[in-house]
Amino acid sequence: MARYTKDHKQVTRQRIIEAAGHRFKQDGIDGSGISTLMSDAGLTNGAFYAHFASKDDLVAGVVAEELRAQVARCGTFRPGRAGLEDLVRAYLSAEHRDHPGAGCPSAALIDEIGRCGDDTKQAYTDGARAVIDAIAARLAPEDPGAARGRAIGLFSMLVGTLQLSRALSDRRLADEILEQGIRNTLTFTS
């Protein structure tokens, strides 16, 4: 019988969460079965229940982790308004649009999250609040609370613009939506 380090279970759980995050954003929550998720993580189906009580438990964990990582990425941009512009341009890029599995969980999963259970909705609420707070801190570092309304508006504009661009079959129109979205959000944040 193999002996594992005490960190092994947490490392394996994290590996499942990361693989599921990519798959959920790529194929949707409903379009991702446990068998596929575990295969993506390089594990057997039997290992799933050693880490999660249910698929809903996994979804809540993925949503929390994805939004935590998004907030952390916000901190990698340049300070102040220049960093806010970097964030907007990265978020509303063709690359982000074309690779949902590596992108924002809100733009990829918001419709499904709305149909999930309370634990997932709470994980999303907590994570969305943290994203909004990170944006508000960029808008008004001296008083983020004063910028909360604009941060909510900016977050909503970013998510909605990306979703609309992803839904279009006309690539030129999809690109135009992104470009106009950048102009609109930058004007909104001025």
Side-chain angles (χ1 to χ4, degrees):
M1 181 150 119
R3 293 212 179 252
Y4 296 108
T5 66
K6 68 181 187 176
D7 295 338
H8 178 76
K9 186 169 184 173
Q10 184 57 36
V11 169
T12 302
R13 178 183 169 85
Q14 187 62 33
R15 188 165 91 202
I16 297 167
I17 286 174
E18 288 172 9
H22 183 271
R23 177 65 67 175
F24 287 160
K25 292 183 295 181
Q26 188 67 40
D27 297 339
I29 295 167
D30 291 339
S32 304
I34 290 174
S35 176
T36 301
L37 297 171
M38 295 305 285
S39 177
D40 288 352
L43 299 165
T44 64
N45 292 358
F48 179 83
Y49 292 100
H51 301 282
F52 302 96
S54 64
K55 184 176 176 186
D56 290 340
D57 183 30
L58 170 62
V59 171
V62 165
V63 167
E65 176 60 24
E66 287 285 329
L67 288 165
R68 185 208 56 74
Q70 188 172 17
V71 169
R73 279 190 300 278
C74 285
T76 66
F77 293 106
R78 296 180 291 170
R81 297 244 180 213
L84 189 59
E85 182 173 343
D86 294 343
L87 182 147
V88 166
R89 290 185 182 284
Y91 194 95
L92 296 180
S93 68
E95 182 169 338
H96 187 201
R97 177 197 57 214
D98 297 342
H99 298 95
C104 173
S106 296
L109 300 172
I110 197 78
D111 60 328
E112 288 186 276
I113 290 170
R115 293 187 299 272
C116 285
D118 291 342
D119 290 344
T120 299
K121 286 181 181 179
Q122 187 61 55
Y124 185 78
T125 299
D126 295 343
R129 185 176 289 119
V131 171
I132 290 165
D133 290 347
I135 292 171
R138 291 251 179 211
L139 287 168
E142 68 289 346
D143 187 9
R148 184 169 177 76
R150 285 189 341 198
I152 291 169
L154 178 59
F155 182 54
S156 301
M157 289 171 71
L158 290 171
V159 171
T161 299
L162 187 62
Q163 286 182 307
L164 179 58
S165 180
R166 282 181 177 164
L168 298 171
S169 64
D170 181 335
R171 179 69 169 208
R172 290 181 74 197
L173 179 57
D175 289 343
E176 185 179 356
I177 295 282
L178 290 179
E179 284 302 316
Q180 189 61 50
I182 291 169
R183 285 192 293 277
N184 290 348
T185 54
L186 292 179
T187 298
F188 182 76
T189 62
S190 297

